[in-house]
Amino acid sequence: MSRIGKIARRTFLIGTAAVAGGVAFGVYAARKPAPNPLSPGEGEVALNPFIVVDGDGVTVIVPKAEMGQGVRTTWAALAAEELDMDPADLRIEHGPPGKAYYNRGMGAQLLPEAEYRLSAWQESLGEQMTVMGKFLNLQITGGSTSTVDGFDKMRHAGASARETLKEAAALRRGVDRSTLKTEGGAVIAPDGTRIAYSELALEAAEIEPVRADLRPKSTWRYIGKSQPRHDQMPKATGTAEFSIDVRLPGMKFAALKRNPYQGGAMNGFDAAAALEVPGVEDVIDLGDGVAVVANNSWSAMQGAEAVSFDWGKGPYPETTEEIFADIARVMEGDPNSTFLDRGDVESLPEGAELLTAEYSVPYLSHAQMEPLSATALHHGDRMEVWSGNQIPVHCRDAAAEEAGLEAEAVELHTTLMGGGFGRRGYKDFTRYAARLATKMQGTPVQLLWSREEDMTHGNYRPGALGSFRGAVKDGKLVMLDGKIGGQPATNGVMPVLLGFTPPGPDKIHVEGAFDQPYAIPNARIRGYLSRIGLPVGPWRSVGASVNGFFFDSFMDELAHAAGADPLEFRLALMRAEDPRSAKVLEAVRDSCDWTGQTPEGVGRGVGFCYSFGTPVAEVIEVHQTDGGIRIAKAWIAADPGMAVDPKNIEAQLFGGMVYGLSAAVHQQITFADGAAEQLNFYDFDSIRMNTMPEVMEIRILENGHKISGVGEPGTPPAAAALANALFDLTGQRARRLPLAQEFDFVA
């Protein structure tokens, strides 16, 4: 496919709100379709921002970051359903940055209310609010919203393209469009004549795009069925191109070295030793760090380690202890939020038993498997950038700013990504590559971050403290009061996306706690924000990654204090409040044959969290062995509303759980002398294959009235389920992560 980075002189848009506009607000700017960013080459026709037809067939534009979650496969299947094509016959490209690709899937997340409680009117309001993403260029992959965002728009794109191609065939043959049908990428006439879509492309380009109704669910052939991954073969054969795989003629390699005290200055450096390393060609000042340029990546990284620096200190406290002391301090002041405040939590009901608990979780690195990198080439009057990122418009604009060019002069190629988890939702790795390329005009250069550079320069998942008190009476929960303190993840990402941090209460900080579907008569959750200046940001499941552990661990403690079965204790509070969530908990109960009783040497724990519109329940079973505690088995149940691709959903839920277990058992970022202490996987470990639990069953329910997220909701229940299982096994409560500091696990 030829250049598609600039707005075409002639483009062909579908006029439906589902594809490229927003008709909810009664203002012209909101209703007006965003410009089509595709620039078709000779013989190509962009029927809309998502469908391109040429002589070789049909290309689907999937403008979402493919980080292993399978979004390209899912979006292609949605378009194929309406195009009457086998998804395997579609070509898939990410496409350029574009306003038309703004994310409309985050509507419910914008409202200050528990998502399970939203009325139809509130959901509609949230959907209307998302049109602001067009003005803010929010082409974002995140928030477990990709399928939510694409479910309607890709089907509308496919349906309109199909009917427009049929209209072109009808005009060619002089018949009515209603007499034609489509199959296998071709229009079929009543006499059986087949005209391939590719033959009709140029004629279709002359037609006003046809608005078409979506096909009923009863006719679906691909939606709801597991599809082979489009990226499976290239990844298996090593031909898939990730950011770190980009190779260009005459390319140089550079290694980045920045101040380990984030936010601190570079007072000076001595490059003499680096320039002695074989293969090193230059050491370039980037302002707050350097790039060591070489003819190969190994020499560049070795050279970076040879540079000596005079670093200034960062603006935040220098030790972990000081950082958490500040969090504890702000928790003694006024709260930032009180999204849940029901009944009376100050008065203890007569005859009730009071329980208190203090929890803590550490800072965490995203630790995506592929370290950060980007490649850039400054041509003088234009720039090309190759970057695996989650925010293409923002990355393009950052590169343009560094290069001194207009945004339209920068062509951004978004590559496959070896994991993201939120870390690739930043501009820094793209910005530094563009800055370097601007100093090396005419020479393509790939700027690499070593694992150590990546891990010590994270926008970390914030560490946090949780202080909870609750009361039980007659076997029932009668009061719960929680305080959650930490740095706000929103402070790290909102300035990147919006240019400022919105004021007011921070919902994300307390999600996973204030919004859980329990009918607790007296309940309050308050959030407290520490603003110490340490870079933080979204990490897989964001606030719920913290509060899923805090809140559900405390629910388990309250169940035991009430003398109740932990799972049935939750169900009793949940059934009337949110039957959909209760069915998820019942499904995992039935799946694992939960009895509440375990034999000697075996422990079981249940964890539940409602996040990103999806209730998820997990049961973890641990075994005491001679070599330590083994995480032996796991069961998962979830309700994403609709299972668009069941096997992919299973993979996402399992992967999310493992990500959560890895953090719960092993991971933490600590600080000494102002710098992060953990450098690589040897001191920031993960669950390995030999310590991975056997997943006995994953049950997917479809009781929701709309599609909800799956990329992140598998993570929040994992830590609580494991901690609760450890209590069942040992009788010792786990209130502090990582768990390996207090429990001996199998290595």
Side-chain angles (χ1 to χ4, degrees), residues 342 516-520 551-552 555 570 573-574 577 608:
R342 179 193 308 139
Q516 297 309 288
Y518 295 110
I520 306 170
F551 189 90
D552 200 71
M555 287 293 291
R570 291 169 172 82
L573 293 162
M574 187 182 288
E577 185 72 11
F608 174 88

Side-chain angles (χ1 to χ4, degrees), residues 313-550:
K313 290 291 188 178
Y316 49 86
E318 294 194 353
T319 68
T320 303
E321 292 74 19
E322 291 175 279
I323 291 169
F324 276 88
D326 187 79
I327 297 173
R329 179 188 61 79
V330 300
M331 291 175 72
E332 297 301 318
D334 295 330
N336 164 264
S337 70
T338 311
F339 284 104
L340 175 62
D341 192 0
R342 179 193 308 139
D344 179 10
V345 299
E346 298 295 344
S347 302
L348 184 66
E350 185 178 352
E353 177 186 351
L354 181 67
L355 180 70
T356 62
E358 305 292 326
Y359 300 94
S360 70
V361 296
Y363 285 78
L364 293 174
S365 169
H366 297 82
Q368 70 282 349
M369 189 57 65
E370 179 194 13
L372 299 172
S373 68
T375 300
L377 172 58
H378 198 310
H379 295 278
D381 60 348
R382 63 186 180 90
M383 173 177 275
E384 291 183 86
V385 180
W386 291 259
S387 165
N389 70 86
Q390 296 174 237
I391 48 171
V393 174
H394 294 78
C395 285
R396 178 203 62 192
D397 292 352
E401 182 181 333
E402 292 293 336
L405 299 169
E406 295 296 322
E408 291 75 16
V410 175
E411 184 172 1
L412 177 70
H413 308 272
T414 297
T415 64
L416 295 174
M417 284 150 254
F421 312 121
R423 182 59 182 93
R424 298 186 191 275
Y426 289 85
K427 302 179 289 188
D428 50 356
F429 50 96
T430 304
R431 181 181 292 279
Y432 280 109
R435 185 180 301 176
L436 177 60
T438 301
K439 295 175 179 288
M440 299 175 59
Q441 292 193 25
T443 300
V445 58
Q446 182 174 95
L447 184 60
L448 301 161
W449 298 47
S450 66
R451 173 65 62 192
E452 292 76 10
E453 193 72 17
D454 190 328
M455 193 163 286
T456 55
H457 292 85
N459 290 88
Y460 301 114
R461 197 286 302 272
L465 298 175
S467 180
F468 284 76
R469 51 190 288 271
V472 294
K473 180 180 180 182
D474 300 328
K476 297 180 180 180
L477 177 58
V478 295
M479 185 272 286
L480 187 149
D481 185 20
K483 299 170 64 176
I484 298 162
Q487 286 186 262
T490 49
N491 272 26
V493 71
M494 288 303 176
V496 175
L497 300 178
L498 306 180
F500 66 96
T501 299
D506 191 323
K507 174 187 174 183
I508 292 175
H509 182 69
V510 291
E511 65 185 2
F514 88 92
D515 51 0
Q516 297 309 288
Y518 295 110
I520 306 170
N522 304 290
R524 181 175 64 184
I525 295 292
R526 291 174 289 175
Y528 299 80
L529 304 184
S530 169
R531 304 185 186 277
I532 57 172
L534 179 63
V536 296
W539 182 93
R540 193 174 190 172
S541 73
V542 204
S545 72
V546 171
N547 301 319
F549 172 65
F550 289 171

Side-chain angles (χ1 to χ4, degrees), residues 2 90 174 233 447 523 647 706:
S2 61
L90 294 171
M233 183 60 71
L447 184 60
K647 286 296 182 184
K706 63 176 184 176

